Amino acid sequence: MANPNDTFTKLCDHARQTGLLTSTIGILNWDEETYLPRDGRAHRAEQTALLAGMVHQRQTAAEVGGWLAELKESPLAADPHSTEGCVIRQLGRQYDKKTKLPQKLVEELTRTASLAQQAWVDARKADDFTAFQPWLERTIDLKQQEAAAVGVTDVAYDALLDDYEPGESTANVAQVLSGLREQLTPLVEQIVESKHKAPREILSRSYPVDKQAEFGKQAAAAIGFDFNAGRLDVTAHPFCGGGGPRDVRLTTRYDANEFAGGFFSILHEAGHGIYEQGLPADQFGLPTGEAVSLGIHESQSRMWENLVGRSRAYWEHTLPELQGAFESARGVGLDEFYFAVNDSRPSLIRTESDEATYNLHIIVRFELEQALLSGDLPAADLPSAWNEKYQQYLGVTPPSSADGAMQDVHWSAGLYGYFPTYALGNLYAAQFFDQAEADLGDLDDHFRRGEFTPLRDWLRRNIHQHGQRYSAAELVERVTGKPLSHEPLMRRLRAKFAELYDLP
Amino acid sequence: MANPNDTFTKLCDHARQTGLLTSTIGILNWDEETYLPRDGRAHRAEQTALLAGMVHQRQTAAEVGGWLAELKESPLAADPHSTEGCVIRQLGRQYDKKTKLPQKLVEELTRTASLAQQAWVDARKADDFTAFQPWLERTIDLKQQEAAAVGVTDVAYDALLDDYEPGESTANVAQVLSGLREQLTPLVEQIVESKHKAPREILSRSYPVDKQAEFGKQAAAAIGFDFNAGRLDVTAHPFCGGGGPRDVRLTTRYDANEFAGGFFSILHEAGHGIYEQGLPADQFGLPTGEAVSLGIHESQSRMWENLVGRSRAYWEHTLPELQGAFESARGVGLDEFYFAVNDSRPSLIRTESDEATYNLHIIVRFELEQALLSGDLPAADLPSAWNEKYQQYLGVTPPSSADGAMQDVHWSAGLYGYFPTYALGNLYAAQFFDQAEADLGDLDDHFRRGEFTPLRDWLRRNIHQHGQRYSAAELVERVTGKPLSHEPLMRRLRAKFAELYDLP
């Protein structure tokens, strides 16, 4: 019998090399979105497909299975939160999931996702849901097969959610989100009825792009993103990517006549980036050096974007700097500016929605995709079901499927179970933020003085440094002493918007 | 017995996949020089080392050896210039060379190159040749071992030259370069004695960097570099790299108070890039889709930089555009500007030298590195031998080893046999250019009208599209009907500089 320590070393070396390939794909993807010449795309697709294939082969290699089988029975696996326990558990999960999926199904999922996305682009442009419907049906069928293949026969959605929010259950998410929805819908109704309107025009003045880039970079650095280990570039859609623990790449987009889009995307992506930079670099390639879940990742971006960046205290510190950089912002009062960046109104498009309404957009999708997967909702009925829920939760009805059920890429790309992680991010963020305030004192006092390091370091200590030692649910309990709840977020939203909109 | 066509398909598929990895390394290297955050370097080194190791493993895999052994005896290998013949011959060469080198020697060469380069940086800074000498000795010893390992026992230099200029012999290069030297040294003496001096000051005025970048990009596009399949960025040292046939990346550097450095680097690198873009994309990863040799590659860069970009006709067309872009160039006459960009004077530093003196810098190195490798020149005597040759060929004596024998990175990096390819590039360029004029008519007439496409397309047809079907020597004979000679270059240099410096 091999010494389990030797086997563990082999497993880790193997995973680290796989991580080098994964992070190389990260650079290729970033490059594709930023600087790749137009005609280089076909070749790039071949490069990434080859590397992705190598990564998959390595992750499902028989020798990995052998090492894991041996290690699971060894004393190294005893403590699930130790380095060894975490690595064995998480690589074991990955190996089991990936080896359970038949190669043929994986290829069919990839192929269909590619074709369905193209069909979605065309159908959306033509506002023709019936052209997209067969692709939606095919994708749902494949995702049901995927859930069955990994052994989930009860609630298919559980298997898919697990890819993004490992260990979380559909039932639990449903319970928390319906608690949120019950309180959020009346709040949004009150906002709609308020006579007060945010002076949004302030943000639509002239904001030269080069100054936005400079100002945004300073803002990201101020909240603790390390530009010696990262960058900021321009892409069509903002993201946080890159190629390794000390090479984190943010992107945003600028509009010379709109300040908020580019700026808050930077804070958002910087939040993701600070998490990546806070993961222990010596654990690179191992689960102990990787983010817990999409929801936890989103909690970091949302915290910096909304709980910090859309707070009054943040702008108390930052508005004078903004006014130094942009003529358009001069003469604007703090109250006005704070209200402008917190303008709330029910809208049709998720990606353009505000802090208060955003979660309702998510809840619509979360409820509908469960129904699509369980078979309760036939694909043909999706547009009407979508419109009904939008009317019910947000009080608006999309005039078209293009701006309704077809507005997001996710369902054509096979990303089912992904949407709720956005709302979970908001919920985790508020719950963590409450605890940070309890530990650090009034955070507004920090922000007013431009001090963001204490919060960043609190996040490092309590969240980032652990990698995947704890599941999202365990982490929330461990850090805040309570299970996930809608209350911290709801309390914050009510307080903020009641003040801004002078609600009863 | 397998069908050789099936075996050939396997060999090609294997090589194409290896090419995807090689071109991925190309992107990682480009990124490292352009946009990689400072703290990402260590991780990047691990990524590239892993991929380079994979490439080496694939190129020396036993199955490749088996396929090649079978194919060499098959009818597919009969015509060495057919697609199949070229692929089998060249992959066979590569396989033989790489499998002959013991793994231990390869590792020692890599390790020593890394350490010796660091030692060279330090020794050069301190102008302390004796600190560098042991590393030079160690490197020479390893390169001698390398030559012996690949079976070259007579002239070690032949084996090393063969890495960069496959099929070329030391004796032949020595003959051509000494012919050049015998006529070039007196020409340079005449230039030195001339009363005429180039108005170099014109180029040292204010040339704003952003305008240089824009102007340089236009110039590269004008000579036929395709920006849909390429880019131009800024690095400390200009290069042409990238990641595939439709993804060619040029770099340069700018100095706001010096025009020529940045601009001619762009033309030079664009020349390399036009070659890369002209290789047949459907042969990617195969020898039929790769450049012939470093010398032929350099012929393309030198042609566009010097024979086009430093011609009077080029500036007849381009000077008005330059004057539109830069105030500093307004009021400058064509004669003045043409003389300024052709300023010639013997100097100490190769990379700063001009079209006339450049080859003498190369010849010094070519002669010295042969003597170092044969053992005729002990490393300890290198600085004095260097200084003697500089005095003899260029009429200058370096005041220090830092600006003398230690000025280039090559010898510390293990790049012996590389230097002559720079001079070969100039020789090939002139010989090809003569033939292009014979075929296309007076090229100055084209350039005067801003027409560069005929020359580019001539290069495509006669050189680029063949990949490695012909060796450099074969290609020169095939295209020009004559073996390589120093005469076409010498004739051009004499004509140009006799006119500029009013020589007898």
Side-chain angles (χ1 to χ4, degrees):
Chain A
M1 182 94 189
N3 178 338
N5 287 309
D6 295 344
T7 306
F8 184 72
T9 302
K10 277 186 217 159
L11 179 70
C12 291
D13 288 348
H14 190 272
R16 280 197 194 94
Q17 288 213 346
T18 309
L20 290 173
L21 295 178
T22 312
S23 62
T24 298
I25 296 174
I27 289 297
L28 293 180
N29 287 341
W30 171 86
D31 182 78
E32 184 168 346
E33 301 300 324
T34 50
Y35 298 122
L36 180 68
R38 190 194 70 183
D39 294 354
R41 294 197 170 266
H43 188 75
R44 176 56 45 84
E46 289 189 60
Q47 291 172 321
T48 44
L50 176 66
L51 290 174
M54 286 178 170
V55 166
H56 182 82
Q57 269 188 355
R58 294 180 62 94
Q59 287 172 336
T60 57
E63 59 179 354
V64 172
W67 294 333
L68 283 164
E70 185 194 326
L71 288 166
K72 275 178 192 167
E73 303 304 319
S74 80
L76 293 179
D79 174 1
H81 301 135
S82 67
T83 298
E84 293 81 2
C86 169
V87 167
I88 295 165
R89 166 173 40 88
Q90 294 294 90
L91 290 182
R93 267 179 56 93
Q94 183 185 66
Y95 179 82
D96 290 344
K97 258 202 151 170
K98 288 195 187 258
T99 50
K100 276 179 185 166
L101 290 180
Q103 185 60 26
K104 234 191 113 170
L105 179 59
V106 172
E107 283 166 13
E108 189 56 19
L109 279 161
T110 307
R111 209 178 65 86
T112 305
S114 168
L115 296 170
Q117 276 178 80
Q118 192 48 56
W120 167 75
V121 168
D122 296 341
R124 191 175 175 220
K125 203 174 284 171
D127 190 24
D128 178 5
F129 181 79
T130 55
F132 178 51
Q133 189 186 316
W135 290 103
L136 190 61
E137 284 163 351
R138 178 82 192 116
T139 304
I140 290 163
D141 178 48
L142 289 169
K143 298 304 283 190
Q144 285 165 339
Q145 288 182 42
E146 183 184 330
V150 299
V152 176
T153 47
D154 189 11
V155 181
Y157 196 84
D158 271 341
L160 308 178
L161 176 66
D162 188 77
D163 277 349
Y164 310 112
E165 208 61 24
E168 193 51 90
S169 76
T170 311
N172 186 53
V173 176
Q175 195 214 320
V176 176
L177 291 187
S178 66
L180 181 67
R181 192 196 70 207
E182 280 161 24
Q183 298 185 15
L184 202 47
T185 296
L187 176 64
V188 169
E189 280 170 14
Q190 286 186 306
I191 292 172
V192 170
E193 284 157 16
S194 167
K195 288 174 313 204
H196 295 268
K197 299 291 166 216
R200 188 181 245 187
E201 168 277 329
I202 293 167
L203 302 170
S204 311
R205 299 175 183 171
S206 164
Y207 292 91
V209 165
D210 55 339
K211 285 191 184 166
Q212 279 193 59
E214 199 185 322
F215 189 78
K217 207 176 158 184
Q218 284 166 12
I223 63 169
F225 182 78
D226 179 358
F227 278 97
N228 286 326
R231 307 185 37 82
L232 173 61
D233 295 88
V234 175
T235 51
H237 302 285
F239 66 88
C240 169
R246 303 300 293 154
D247 182 8
V248 180
R249 304 189 179 197
L250 318 178
T251 75
T252 191
R253 54 165 183 263
Y254 303 105
D255 174 343
N257 296 303
E258 211 286 311
F259 173 75
F263 182 76
F264 287 104
S265 287
I266 292 173
L267 288 189
H268 180 99
E269 302 308 338
H272 284 304
I274 289 168
Y275 186 8
E276 290 291 321
Q277 291 181 339
L279 291 166
D282 63 346
Q283 301 292 307
F284 169 77
L286 304 179
T288 36
E290 279 165 24
V292 180
S293 69
L294 285 194
I296 296 294
H297 226 308
E298 193 73 3
S299 76
Q300 304 303 292
S301 57
R302 286 298 186 173
M303 186 180 294
W304 291 106
E305 177 193 355
N306 285 337
L307 305 184
V308 180
R310 286 193 166 91
S311 73
R312 174 186 260 276
Y314 178 81
W315 288 105
E316 241 182 283
H317 172 260
T318 309
L319 186 58
E321 293 180 357
L322 185 83
Q323 292 172 329
F326 299 97
E327 275 195 53
S328 293
R330 287 174 204 159
V332 174
L334 176 63
D335 286 344
E336 278 180 291
F337 194 84
Y338 171 55
F339 200 0
V341 298
N342 284 291
D343 178 33
S344 176
R345 58 186 80 185
S347 65
L348 298 172
I349 308 297
R350 173 182 65 88
T351 56
E352 297 166 6
S353 67
D354 57 83
E355 193 182 354
T357 59
Y358 186 87
N359 296 296
L360 293 170
H361 289 265
I362 296 304
I363 291 167
V364 167
R365 288 154 176 79
F366 172 61
E367 293 175 358
L368 290 174
E369 65 182 12
Q370 286 178 74
L372 286 168
L373 277 159
S374 69
D376 289 349
L377 177 65
D381 297 344
L382 177 64
S384 56
W386 177 287
N387 290 4
E388 245 168 69
K389 282 198 191 283
Y390 260 76
Q391 188 57 48
Q392 194 184 340
Y393 300 162
L394 282 147
V396 294
T397 296
S400 71
S401 287
D403 285 344
M406 287 200 294
Q407 77 179 253
D408 301 298
V409 70
H410 300 61
W411 289 338
S412 69
L415 302 173
Y416 290 79
Y418 193 114
F419 278 124
T421 68
Y422 294 123
L424 288 170
N426 290 321
L427 295 161
Y428 295 142
Q431 196 157 334
F432 288 144
F433 201 76
D434 277 1
Q435 189 61 45
E437 287 221 292
D439 293 349
L440 301 172
D442 187 357
L443 286 171
D444 281 346
D445 269 357
H446 289 86
F447 302 161
R448 231 171 255 130
R449 293 193 300 268
E451 285 170 14
F452 306 104
T453 313
L455 176 60
R456 188 200 63 176
D457 292 348
W458 184 93
L459 294 169
R460 286 249 147 111
R461 282 194 308 279
N462 286 283
I463 297 166
H464 307 170
Q465 66 153 333
H466 298 309
Q468 296 182 351
R469 269 168 220 273
Y470 308 96
S471 73
E474 287 172 336
L475 194 66
V476 170
E477 283 253 13
R478 189 175 189 275
V479 174
T480 72
K482 300 184 204 94
L484 180 65
S485 154
H486 69 277
E487 283 170 16
L489 175 62
M490 201 53 232
R491 204 159 36 229
R492 284 196 175 269
L493 292 176
R494 176 175 306 285
K496 177 189 252 189
F497 289 95
E499 188 214 340
L500 283 165
Y501 284 91
D502 195 21
L503 305 181
Chain B
M1 182 94 188
N3 177 337
N5 287 310
D6 294 345
T7 306
F8 184 72
T9 302
K10 278 185 217 160
L11 178 70
C12 291
D13 288 348
H14 190 273
R16 281 199 194 93
Q17 288 214 344
T18 309
L20 290 173
L21 295 178
T22 312
S23 62
T24 298
I25 296 174
I27 290 296
L28 293 180
N29 288 342
W30 170 85
D31 182 79
E32 184 167 347
E33 300 301 323
T34 50
Y35 297 123
L36 180 70
R38 189 193 73 184
D39 294 354
R41 293 195 171 268
H43 188 74
R44 176 56 45 85
E46 289 189 60
Q47 291 172 320
T48 44
L50 176 65
L51 290 175
M54 286 178 170
V55 167
H56 182 82
Q57 269 187 355
R58 294 180 63 92
Q59 288 173 335
T60 57
E63 56 178 356
V64 173
W67 296 332
L68 284 165
E70 184 194 325
L71 288 167
K72 275 177 193 167
E73 303 305 320
S74 80
L76 293 179
D79 174 1
H81 301 135
S82 68
T83 299
E84 294 80 4
C86 168
V87 167
I88 295 165
R89 166 175 38 90
Q90 293 293 91
L91 291 181
R93 268 180 55 94
Q94 182 185 66
Y95 180 82
D96 289 345
K97 256 202 154 171
K98 287 197 188 259
T99 51
K100 276 179 184 164
L101 290 179
Q103 185 59 26
K104 235 191 111 169
L105 179 58
V106 173
E107 283 167 15
E108 189 57 19
L109 278 161
T110 307
R111 210 179 66 86
T112 305
S114 168
L115 295 170
Q117 277 178 80
Q118 192 48 56
W120 167 74
V121 168
D122 297 341
R124 191 175 176 221
K125 203 174 283 170
D127 190 24
D128 179 5
F129 181 80
T130 56
F132 178 52
Q133 188 186 316
W135 290 104
L136 191 60
E137 285 162 350
R138 178 82 191 116
T139 303
I140 291 164
D141 178 47
L142 288 169
K143 297 304 282 188
Q144 285 164 338
Q145 288 182 42
E146 184 185 328
V150 298
V152 176
T153 48
D154 187 12
V155 181
Y157 196 84
D158 270 342
L160 308 178
L161 175 64
D162 189 76
D163 277 349
Y164 309 113
E165 208 61 23
E168 193 50 271
S169 76
T170 311
N172 186 53
V173 175
Q175 196 214 320
V176 176
L177 290 187
S178 67
L180 181 67
R181 193 197 70 209
E182 278 162 27
Q183 298 184 15
L184 202 47
T185 295
L187 175 65
V188 169
E189 278 170 16
Q190 287 185 306
I191 292 172
V192 170
E193 282 157 17
S194 166
K195 288 173 313 202
H196 296 268
K197 298 292 165 214
R200 185 180 250 189
E201 170 277 329
I202 293 168
L203 303 170
S204 311
R205 299 177 184 170
S206 164
Y207 291 92
V209 164
D210 54 341
K211 286 191 183 165
Q212 280 193 58
E214 200 184 322
F215 188 79
K217 208 177 156 182
Q218 283 166 12
I223 62 168
F225 182 78
D226 179 358
F227 277 97
N228 286 326
R231 307 185 37 83
L232 172 62
D233 295 271
V234 176
T235 52
H237 302 285
F239 67 88
C240 170
R246 303 300 294 155
D247 183 9
V248 179
R249 304 188 180 198
L250 319 178
T251 74
T252 190
R253 53 166 183 263
Y254 303 105
D255 174 343
N257 296 304
E258 211 286 311
F259 173 76
F263 182 77
F264 287 104
S265 288
I266 291 173
L267 288 190
H268 180 100
E269 302 308 338
H272 284 304
I274 289 168
Y275 187 9
E276 290 290 322
Q277 291 182 338
L279 291 166
D282 63 346
Q283 301 292 307
F284 169 76
L286 304 179
T288 37
E290 277 165 25
V292 181
S293 69
L294 285 193
I296 296 293
H297 227 308
E298 192 74 4
S299 77
Q300 304 303 292
S301 58
R302 286 298 186 173
M303 187 181 293
W304 291 105
E305 177 193 356
N306 286 337
L307 304 185
V308 180
R310 285 192 167 91
S311 73
R312 174 186 260 275
Y314 178 82
W315 287 105
E316 244 182 280
H317 171 261
T318 310
L319 186 58
E321 293 180 358
L322 185 84
Q323 291 173 330
F326 299 98
E327 274 195 53
S328 293
R330 289 177 202 158
V332 174
L334 176 63
D335 286 344
E336 278 180 290
F337 195 82
Y338 171 55
F339 199 178
V341 299
N342 283 293
D343 179 33
S344 177
R345 57 185 82 185
S347 66
L348 296 172
I349 307 296
R350 172 181 65 87
T351 57
E352 297 166 6
S353 67
D354 57 82
E355 193 182 352
T357 58
Y358 187 85
N359 296 295
L360 293 170
H361 290 264
I362 296 304
I363 291 166
V364 168
R365 287 153 176 80
F366 172 62
E367 293 175 357
L368 290 174
E369 64 182 12
Q370 287 177 75
L372 286 167
L373 276 160
S374 68
D376 288 350
L377 177 66
D381 296 344
L382 176 64
S384 58
W386 177 286
N387 289 3
E388 245 169 69
K389 282 198 190 282
Y390 260 77
Q391 188 55 50
Q392 193 183 340
Y393 300 162
L394 284 147
V396 293
T397 295
S400 70
S401 287
D403 285 342
M406 286 201 295
Q407 77 180 251
D408 300 299
V409 69
H410 300 60
W411 289 339
S412 69
L415 301 173
Y416 290 79
Y418 193 114
F419 279 125
T421 68
Y422 293 123
L424 287 171
N426 291 321
L427 294 162
Y428 295 141
Q431 196 157 333
F432 288 142
F433 201 76
D434 278 2
Q435 188 61 45
E437 288 220 293
D439 293 348
L440 300 172
D442 188 356
L443 287 172
D444 281 346
D445 269 356
H446 289 86
F447 303 160
R448 231 172 256 129
R449 294 193 299 268
E451 284 170 17
F452 305 104
T453 312
L455 176 59
R456 189 200 62 176
D457 292 348
W458 185 92
L459 294 168
R460 285 249 148 111
R461 280 194 310 278
N462 286 284
I463 298 167
H464 306 171
Q465 66 153 333
H466 299 309
Q468 297 180 351
R469 271 170 219 269
Y470 307 96
S471 73
E474 287 171 335
L475 195 65
V476 169
E477 282 254 12
R478 190 175 188 276
V479 174
T480 71
K482 299 184 205 98
L484 180 66
S485 153
H486 69 277
E487 281 169 19
L489 176 63
M490 201 53 232
R491 203 159 36 228
R492 283 193 177 271
L493 291 176
R494 178 175 304 285
K496 177 188 253 189
F497 290 95
E499 188 215 341
L500 283 166
Y501 284 93
D502 195 20
L503 304 182

